[in-house]
Amino acid sequence: MFLHSVNFSNLAFYAFMIFMATVGLWDVFFGFEENKCSMSYMFEYPEYQKIELPKKLTKRYPAYELYLYGEGSYAEEHKLLPLTGIPVLFLPGNAGSYKQVRSIGSIALRKAEDIDFRYHFDFFSVNFNEELVALYGGSLQKQTKFVHECIKAILKLYKGQASAPKSVAIIGHSMGGLVARALLTLKNFKQDLINVLITQATPHVAPVMPLDRFITDFYETVNDYWILNAEHINLTTLSVAGGFRDYQVRSGLTFLPKLSHHASALSVVSTAVPKTWVSTDHLSIVWCKQLQLTTVRAFFDLIDADTKQITENPKKKLAVLSHHFIRHPAKHFEDDPSLIVNLTETSVWVPVKVSKWTYVAHNESEKLYFIFPLAHQRKIHTHAYCQSTMLDTNSWVFGCVNTTIVCQQGVDLSWRTELLPTIKSVTLRLQDYPFLSHLVVYVPSVHGSKYAIDCEFFKREARSMQLPVTHLFSFDEITSIYKLQIPWSYEDSLTIAQVPSSTEIPLKLHVAQPDNYSYVALLKMYTSSDCQYEVTIRTSLSQILGQVVRFHGGALPAYIVANILLAYGGQLYSLFSAGHCLEYATMLDKEAKPYKVDPFVIMIKFLLGHKWFKELWDVFLLPELDAIFLTSQSMCFPLVSLILFLFGTCTAHWGGLLSSASVRLLSSAWLALKRPSELPKDIKIMSSDVTILTIVLIIVSWATCGALAILLTYLYYVIKIVHLQAILTNFKNSQTLNPKHTRRSEKKSNHHKDSAAHHLRLSASDAEDSLRMHSTVINLLTWVVLLSMPSLIYWFKNLRYYFKLNPDPCKPLAFILIPTIAILGNTHNISIKSSKFLRTASQFPLPLAIGVIAFGSAQLYRVPSCVFVSLFLHALCNFM
């Protein structure tokens, strides 16, 4: 029935859109580098010591616990409290385990052993019972309050110690990082209780999937507080993203808002973190050895030698984090580095007057200083560049003033060095150092090691070119790419290629370029002059589609529902105008057009730019347009909405095909198990059985979980439709065997129709016509159930602690949806096609589809409400 109504050209289009969507999905889930993270291992058996909390606390939060991590002798010693170290609290994220602390805890323990426990960290971890807080936001506030109590309990463990801490450091993974930021919104929370906050793969900007209003309200509360109180927030915060391997949390969502008053916040992608340089997935970011080593080094550099705790100096904290996570100068961190240093006069000094110089050191017995005069170089060059393959932490580049051959003191320029995977390099703009007469490169005495140093003076204009971004049909060629540097966000990516070879480098962004930002992405080239390179810049369709899915894939359910609503409205109108309901596929082809929806959203967005319209908008208490939020994130492009709409049309088509096939398959199974009765003789909208079932389901919704009641209502509706399909199939089969009996039944049915409108008898044609409408209703209800499932999963997972879900995002919807579906389950087209309200009901799905796109694409929890309105109006036709 469904396939017969499909035009084959449309079928080819839907198949093509499926292919395009598959290409985009492939780029998101497979189009990234292999996992280059080294696994972090424990040297001794990990132990998790449960910290006893006050009974009041355990009674209030029965599902939550606090643990102290340890290994071997350290674990044994610290079973007898109090503690003497520096407290660090780990907060797991969505479905995360408290045991994820073991990687960084073990590495920090090994580091403490290396310095004979002069300093050491005590790692605590909260057990949130692996709650699905990314899907259900009702427990986020509860987690936040529990963490506050944990911090107070942790600090009590150090009472009476000589260097007792007054604050804790927090590492938050995924939603745990958001919970840590939410601590500041609590009324009785003191900001001084946290000294530094590091978040890993935390979506700070917005929820990945806004499936209920509790999540969006929580985000709004946290982000508004941090924005409005930016002047008073002194908490040093670092957010680390995983890059393209993390397809669960897009890296662009992890960037903290850059506020003029809050300069102590840093955001970086793991591919740009020095000594890490790898992309991590959502789970490996907590055990990636390279990243955890960097984090531990930063923690030890944050220690104040006097207090033996993390420093309270905000400038030092920011400097340490910048040193380890943003730009590493290939030197150990120093609080107050000496810029003027004494150079050894007795060493060998070698003058160099060429503009390009290379030196290979091997078994050097003497210290060498190579000195470059700058007077002549300034006349023809703008920059000086040096690189070394010796990755030690000693100073190696200096500047001298008024020197002839030997320099007694020099300016240490090594702090301008940038550490790269295989080299350390420094680039100096000569006009920034007009007081320097010479550049000095230091080569220490080495034994048994070989390394190379290259220096070169060059003119920037001759070494750089600006190219436009290519489009789908353009091809350009330049030479050499190794590093992509994004000036507006720390998401640099490095690629190491061995020559001769062919390497593909994806140039994809995590954060779009801000409006009115003059700087552009920079491709830095580190190449050998002995080789020739050819690099082709081309546009990748698969990566474009991948970026569409990565940035906007979460909005696809809204576009699918909008398409189904358009088809639904078309079916209701065909019932009003022609007296019968057309096939779902036919109406989808006819009604689901992007020009019916997108222009209205664009027009509303344009009008909201005018003050008078914005004031009128606020008078009616209308919510913010989703396109406004996307524009603020530099993510709103008209073509994206068109692509998503077409993807939605395609998914709605194949979803309808699957739904229709499922109903037929289930009805066949029904016939195999039980022979159904005849077509209903009398159509009753609400029988006593249905009324009782409705009341029971409403009680279930109130006493347990609204999503459970919605699911049970959905199953009831599906069973009713499958039963009707089985009756119709059985009737048609009997028609084939006994056509005379069937004709008598049809005549009898028509006689009943004419005799009394309130005692309608359903004919086979009427049943088939009703099934077309019911099939579309099932498609709509399927998405309502899918969007409410997260709270059901959360409730079921925590059933041993709470029988009643509180707060429940689906309860209000369930109360009104249950009776509506109960009515629709007994509604047939013959009983409503003469309704005076049918025309009005058929006109509402279009504005509701516009509303779904306008207000539900970034706030998915609003979509079921729009679906309910259309279903409610449909049910109302039975009474008007």
Coordinates of all heavy atoms in Angstrom, one line a residue, residues 199-258:
T199 N 38.2 21.0 33.2 CA 37.1 20.2 32.7 C 37.6 19.5 31.4 O 38.4 20.0 30.6 CB 35.9 21.1 32.3 OG1 36.2 21.9 31.3 CG2 35.5 21.9 33.6
Q200 N 37.2 18.3 31.2 CA 37.5 17.4 30.1 C 36.3 17.0 29.3 O 35.4 16.4 29.8 CB 38.3 16.2 30.6 CG 39.6 16.5 31.4 CD 40.2 15.3 32.0 OE1 39.5 14.3 32.3 NE2 41.5 15.3 32.3
A201 N 36.3 17.5 28.0 CA 35.1 17.2 27.2 C 33.8 17.6 27.8 O 32.8 16.9 27.6 CB 35.1 15.7 26.8
T202 N 33.8 18.7 28.4 CA 32.5 19.2 29.0 C 31.8 20.2 28.0 O 32.4 21.2 27.6 CB 32.8 20.0 30.3 OG1 33.4 19.1 31.3 CG2 31.6 20.6 30.9
P203 N 30.5 19.9 27.7 CA 29.8 20.9 26.8 C 29.3 22.1 27.6 O 28.3 22.1 28.2 CB 28.6 20.0 26.3 CG 28.4 19.0 27.4 CD 29.8 18.7 28.0
H204 N 30.1 23.1 27.6 CA 29.8 24.3 28.4 C 28.8 25.2 27.8 O 28.0 25.9 28.5 CB 31.1 25.1 28.7 CG 32.1 24.5 29.6 ND1 31.8 24.2 30.9 CD2 33.3 24.0 29.3 CE1 32.9 23.6 31.4 NE2 33.8 23.5 30.5
V205 N 28.8 25.3 26.5 CA 28.0 26.3 25.8 C 26.5 25.9 25.8 O 25.6 26.7 26.1 CB 28.4 26.4 24.3 CG1 27.5 27.4 23.5 CG2 29.9 26.9 24.2
A206 N 26.2 24.7 25.5 CA 24.8 24.2 25.4 C 24.8 22.7 25.5 O 25.8 22.0 25.3 CB 24.2 24.6 24.1
P207 N 23.6 22.1 25.9 CA 23.6 20.6 26.0 C 23.7 20.0 24.6 O 23.3 20.6 23.6 CB 22.2 20.4 26.6 CG 21.4 21.6 26.3 CD 22.4 22.8 26.3
V208 N 24.3 18.8 24.5 CA 24.4 18.1 23.3 C 23.0 17.8 22.7 O 22.8 18.1 21.5 CB 25.2 16.8 23.4 CG1 25.3 16.1 22.1 CG2 26.6 17.2 24.0
M209 N 22.1 17.3 23.5 CA 20.8 17.0 23.1 C 19.8 17.6 24.2 O 19.7 17.0 25.2 CB 20.5 15.5 23.0 CG 21.3 14.9 21.8 SD 20.7 15.4 20.2 CE 19.2 14.4 20.1
P210 N 19.2 18.8 23.9 CA 18.3 19.4 24.9 C 17.0 18.6 25.0 O 16.0 19.1 24.4 CB 18.2 20.8 24.4 CG 18.4 20.7 22.9 CD 19.3 19.6 22.7
L211 N 16.9 17.5 25.7 CA 15.8 16.7 25.6 C 14.7 17.0 26.7 O 13.6 16.4 26.7 CB 16.2 15.2 25.8 CG 17.1 14.7 24.6 CD1 17.6 13.3 24.9 CD2 16.3 14.7 23.3
D212 N 15.1 17.8 27.7 CA 14.1 18.2 28.6 C 14.4 19.6 29.1 O 15.6 20.1 29.0 CB 13.9 17.3 29.8 CG 15.2 17.2 30.7 OD1 15.6 18.2 31.2 OD2 15.7 16.0 30.9
R213 N 13.4 20.3 29.7 CA 13.6 21.7 30.1 C 14.5 21.9 31.3 O 15.1 22.9 31.5 CB 12.3 22.4 30.3 CG 11.5 21.8 31.5 CD 10.1 22.5 31.7 NE 9.4 21.9 32.7 CZ 9.5 22.2 34.0 NH1 10.4 23.1 34.4 NH2 8.7 21.6 34.9
F214 N 14.7 20.8 32.1 CA 15.6 20.9 33.2 C 17.0 21.0 32.8 O 17.8 21.8 33.5 CB 15.4 19.6 34.1 CG 14.0 19.4 34.6 CD1 13.3 18.2 34.3 CD2 13.4 20.4 35.3 CE1 12.0 18.0 34.7 CE2 12.1 20.2 35.8 CZ 11.4 19.0 35.5
I215 N 17.4 20.4 31.7 CA 18.8 20.6 31.2 C 19.0 22.0 30.7 O 20.0 22.6 31.1 CB 19.1 19.6 30.1 CG1 19.1 18.1 30.6 CG2 20.4 19.8 29.4 CD1 19.3 17.1 29.5
T216 N 18.1 22.5 29.9 CA 18.2 23.8 29.4 C 18.2 24.9 30.5 O 18.9 25.9 30.4 CB 17.2 24.1 28.3 OG1 15.9 23.9 28.8 CG2 17.3 23.2 27.1
D217 N 17.3 24.7 31.4 CA 17.2 25.6 32.6 C 18.5 25.6 33.4 O 19.0 26.7 33.8 CB 16.0 25.3 33.5 CG 14.7 25.6 32.8 OD1 14.7 26.2 31.8 OD2 13.6 25.1 33.3
F218 N 19.1 24.4 33.6 CA 20.3 24.3 34.3 C 21.4 25.1 33.6 O 22.2 25.8 34.2 CB 20.7 22.9 34.5 CG 21.8 22.6 35.5 CD1 21.6 22.6 36.8 CD2 23.1 22.4 35.0 CE1 22.7 22.4 37.7 CE2 24.1 22.1 35.8 CZ 23.9 22.1 37.2
Y219 N 21.5 24.8 32.3 CA 22.5 25.5 31.5 C 22.4 27.0 31.5 O 23.3 27.8 31.7 CB 22.5 25.0 30.0 CG 23.4 23.9 29.7 CD1 23.1 22.6 29.9 CD2 24.7 24.2 29.2 CE1 23.9 21.6 29.6 CE2 25.6 23.2 28.9 CZ 25.2 21.9 29.1 OH 26.1 20.9 28.8
E220 N 21.1 27.5 31.4 CA 20.8 28.9 31.4 C 21.2 29.5 32.8 O 21.8 30.6 32.8 CB 19.3 29.1 31.1 CG 19.0 30.6 31.0 CD 17.5 30.8 30.6 OE1 16.8 29.8 30.3 OE2 17.1 31.9 30.7
T221 N 20.9 28.8 33.9 CA 21.3 29.3 35.2 C 22.8 29.4 35.3 O 23.3 30.5 35.8 CB 20.7 28.4 36.3 OG1 19.3 28.3 36.2 CG2 21.1 28.9 37.7
V222 N 23.5 28.4 35.0 CA 25.0 28.4 35.1 C 25.6 29.4 34.2 O 26.4 30.3 34.7 CB 25.5 27.0 34.8 CG1 27.1 27.0 34.8 CG2 25.0 26.0 35.8
N223 N 25.3 29.4 32.9 CA 26.0 30.4 32.0 C 25.6 31.8 32.3 O 26.5 32.7 32.2 CB 25.6 30.0 30.6 CG 26.4 28.8 30.1 OD1 27.5 28.4 30.6 ND2 25.8 28.0 29.2
D224 N 24.3 32.1 32.7 CA 24.0 33.4 33.0 C 24.7 33.9 34.3 O 25.1 35.1 34.3 CB 22.4 33.5 33.3 CG 21.7 33.5 32.0 OD1 22.3 33.5 30.9 OD2 20.4 33.4 32.0
Y225 N 24.9 33.0 35.2 CA 25.6 33.4 36.5 C 27.0 33.8 36.1 O 27.5 34.8 36.6 CB 25.5 32.3 37.5 CG 26.2 32.7 38.8 CD1 25.5 33.3 39.8 CD2 27.6 32.4 39.0 CE1 26.2 33.6 41.0 CE2 28.2 32.7 40.1 CZ 27.5 33.3 41.1 OH 28.2 33.7 42.3
W226 N 27.7 33.0 35.3 CA 29.1 33.2 35.0 C 29.3 34.5 34.2 O 30.3 35.2 34.3 CB 29.7 32.0 34.3 CG 30.1 30.9 35.2 CD1 29.3 30.2 36.1 CD2 31.4 30.4 35.4 NE1 30.0 29.3 36.8 CE2 31.4 29.4 36.4 CE3 32.7 30.8 34.9 CZ2 32.5 28.7 36.9 CZ3 33.8 30.1 35.3 CH2 33.7 29.1 36.3
I227 N 28.3 34.8 33.3 CA 28.4 36.0 32.5 C 28.1 37.3 33.4 O 28.8 38.2 33.3 CB 27.4 35.9 31.3 CG1 27.8 34.8 30.4 CG2 27.3 37.3 30.6 CD1 26.8 34.5 29.3
L228 N 27.0 37.2 34.2 CA 26.6 38.4 35.0 C 27.6 38.7 36.1 O 27.7 39.8 36.5 CB 25.2 38.2 35.5 CG 24.1 38.1 34.5 CD1 22.8 37.8 35.1 CD2 24.0 39.4 33.6
N229 N 28.3 37.6 36.6 CA 29.2 37.8 37.7 C 30.7 37.6 37.3 O 31.5 37.3 38.2 CB 28.8 36.8 38.8 CG 27.5 37.0 39.4 OD1 27.3 37.8 40.3 ND2 26.5 36.3 38.9
A230 N 30.9 37.9 36.1 CA 32.3 37.7 35.6 C 33.3 38.5 36.3 O 34.5 38.0 36.5 CB 32.3 38.0 34.1
E231 N 33.0 39.7 36.7 CA 33.9 40.6 37.4 C 34.3 40.0 38.8 O 35.4 40.2 39.3 CB 33.3 41.9 37.6 CG 33.1 42.7 36.3 CD 32.6 44.1 36.6 OE1 32.7 44.6 37.8 OE2 32.0 44.7 35.7
H232 N 33.5 39.2 39.4 CA 33.7 38.7 40.7 C 34.2 37.2 40.7 O 34.5 36.7 41.8 CB 32.5 38.8 41.6 CG 31.8 40.1 41.5 ND1 32.4 41.3 42.1 CD2 30.7 40.6 40.9 CE1 31.7 42.3 41.9 NE2 30.6 41.9 41.2
I233 N 34.3 36.6 39.6 CA 34.7 35.2 39.5 C 36.2 35.1 39.2 O 36.7 35.6 38.2 CB 33.9 34.4 38.4 CG1 32.5 34.3 38.7 CG2 34.5 33.0 38.2 CD1 31.6 33.6 37.6
N234 N 36.9 34.6 40.2 CA 38.4 34.6 40.1 C 38.9 33.1 40.0 O 40.0 32.8 40.2 CB 39.1 35.2 41.3 CG 38.7 36.7 41.4 OD1 38.8 37.4 40.4 ND2 38.4 37.1 42.6
L235 N 37.9 32.2 39.7 CA 38.3 30.8 39.6 C 39.0 30.5 38.3 O 38.5 30.8 37.2 CB 37.0 29.9 39.7 CG 37.2 28.4 39.5 CD1 38.2 27.9 40.5 CD2 35.9 27.7 39.5
T236 N 40.3 30.0 38.4 CA 41.0 29.7 37.2 C 40.5 28.4 36.6 O 40.4 27.4 37.3 CB 42.5 29.5 37.6 OG1 43.0 30.7 38.2 CG2 43.3 29.2 36.3
T237 N 40.0 28.5 35.4 CA 39.3 27.4 34.7 C 40.0 27.0 33.4 O 40.3 27.9 32.6 CB 37.8 27.8 34.5 OG1 37.3 28.3 35.7 CG2 37.0 26.6 34.0
L238 N 40.1 25.7 33.2 CA 40.7 25.2 31.9 C 39.7 24.2 31.4 O 39.3 23.3 32.1 CB 42.1 24.6 32.1 CG 42.6 23.8 30.9 CD1 43.0 24.8 29.8 CD2 43.8 23.0 31.3
S239 N 39.3 24.4 30.1 CA 38.5 23.4 29.4 C 39.3 22.8 28.3 O 39.8 23.4 27.4 CB 37.2 24.1 28.8 OG 36.5 23.2 28.1
V240 N 39.3 21.4 28.3 CA 40.0 20.6 27.3 C 39.0 19.8 26.5 O 38.2 19.1 27.1 CB 41.1 19.7 28.0 CG1 41.9 19.0 26.9 CG2 42.0 20.5 28.9
A241 N 39.1 20.0 25.2 CA 38.2 19.2 24.3 C 39.0 18.1 23.6 O 40.2 18.1 23.6 CB 37.6 20.1 23.2
G242 N 38.2 17.1 23.1 CA 38.9 15.9 22.6 C 39.2 16.0 21.1 O 39.9 15.1 20.6
G243 N 38.6 17.0 20.4 CA 38.9 17.0 18.9 C 37.8 16.2 18.2 O 36.8 15.8 18.7
F244 N 38.1 15.8 16.9 CA 37.2 15.2 16.1 C 36.9 13.7 16.5 O 35.9 13.2 16.1 CB 37.6 15.3 14.6 CG 37.5 16.7 14.1 CD1 38.7 17.4 13.8 CD2 36.3 17.3 13.8 CE1 38.6 18.7 13.3 CE2 36.2 18.5 13.4 CZ 37.3 19.3 13.1
R245 N 37.8 13.1 17.2 CA 37.5 11.8 17.7 C 36.3 11.7 18.6 O 35.6 10.7 18.8 CB 38.7 11.1 18.3 CG 39.8 10.6 17.4 CD 40.8 9.8 18.1 NE 40.2 8.6 18.7 CZ 39.9 7.5 18.0 NH1 40.3 7.4 16.7 NH2 39.4 6.4 18.6
D246 N 36.1 12.8 19.3 CA 35.0 12.9 20.3 C 33.7 13.3 19.5 O 33.4 14.5 19.4 CB 35.3 13.8 21.4 CG 34.2 13.8 22.5 OD1 33.2 13.1 22.3 OD2 34.4 14.5 23.6
Y247 N 33.0 12.3 19.0 CA 31.7 12.6 18.3 C 30.5 12.7 19.2 O 29.5 13.1 18.8 CB 31.5 11.6 17.2 CG 31.5 10.1 17.7 CD1 30.4 9.6 18.4 CD2 32.6 9.3 17.4 CE1 30.4 8.3 18.8 CE2 32.6 8.0 17.9 CZ 31.5 7.5 18.6 OH 31.6 6.2 19.0
Q248 N 30.7 12.5 20.5 CA 29.6 12.6 21.5 C 29.5 14.1 21.9 O 28.3 14.6 22.0 CB 29.9 11.7 22.7 CG 29.8 10.2 22.4 CD 29.9 9.4 23.7 OE1 29.3 9.7 24.7 NE2 30.8 8.4 23.7
V249 N 30.6 14.7 22.1 CA 30.5 16.2 22.5 C 31.4 16.9 21.5 O 32.6 16.8 21.5 CB 31.1 16.4 23.9 CG1 31.1 17.9 24.2 CG2 30.2 15.7 24.9
R250 N 30.7 17.7 20.6 CA 31.4 18.5 19.7 C 32.3 19.5 20.4 O 31.9 20.2 21.3 CB 30.4 19.2 18.8 CG 31.0 20.1 17.7 CD 29.9 20.6 16.8 NE 28.9 21.3 17.5 CZ 29.0 22.6 17.8 NH1 30.1 23.3 17.6 NH2 28.0 23.2 18.5
S251 N 33.6 19.6 19.9 CA 34.6 20.4 20.6 C 34.2 21.9 20.7 O 34.5 22.6 21.7 CB 35.9 20.3 20.0 OG 36.4 19.0 20.1
G252 N 33.4 22.4 19.8 CA 32.9 23.8 19.8 C 32.1 24.1 21.0 O 32.0 25.2 21.5
L253 N 31.4 23.0 21.6 CA 30.6 23.2 22.8 C 31.4 23.3 24.0 O 30.9 23.7 25.1 CB 29.6 22.1 22.9 CG 28.5 21.9 21.8 CD1 27.7 20.7 22.1 CD2 27.6 23.2 21.8
T254 N 32.7 23.0 24.0 CA 33.5 22.9 25.2 C 34.2 24.3 25.5 O 34.8 24.4 26.6 CB 34.6 21.9 25.1 OG1 35.5 22.2 24.1 CG2 34.0 20.5 24.8
F255 N 34.1 25.2 24.6 CA 34.8 26.5 24.8 C 34.1 27.4 25.7 O 32.9 27.7 25.5 CB 35.0 27.2 23.4 CG 36.2 26.6 22.6 CD1 36.2 25.3 22.1 CD2 37.4 27.3 22.5 CE1 37.3 24.8 21.5 CE2 38.5 26.8 21.8 CZ 38.4 25.5 21.3
L256 N 34.8 27.8 26.8 CA 34.2 28.7 27.7 C 34.0 30.1 27.1 O 34.8 30.5 26.3 CB 35.1 28.8 29.0 CG 35.2 27.6 29.8 CD1 36.5 27.6 30.7 CD2 34.0 27.4 30.7
P257 N 32.9 30.8 27.5 CA 32.7 32.1 26.9 C 33.9 33.1 27.2 O 34.3 33.1 28.4 CB 31.4 32.6 27.6 CG 31.3 31.8 28.8 CD 31.9 30.4 28.5
K258 N 34.3 33.8 26.2 CA 35.4 34.7 26.4 C 34.9 36.1 26.9 O 34.2 36.8 26.1 CB 36.2 34.9 25.1 CG 37.0 33.7 24.7 CD 37.8 33.9 23.5 CE 38.6 32.7 23.1 NZ 39.4 32.9 21.8

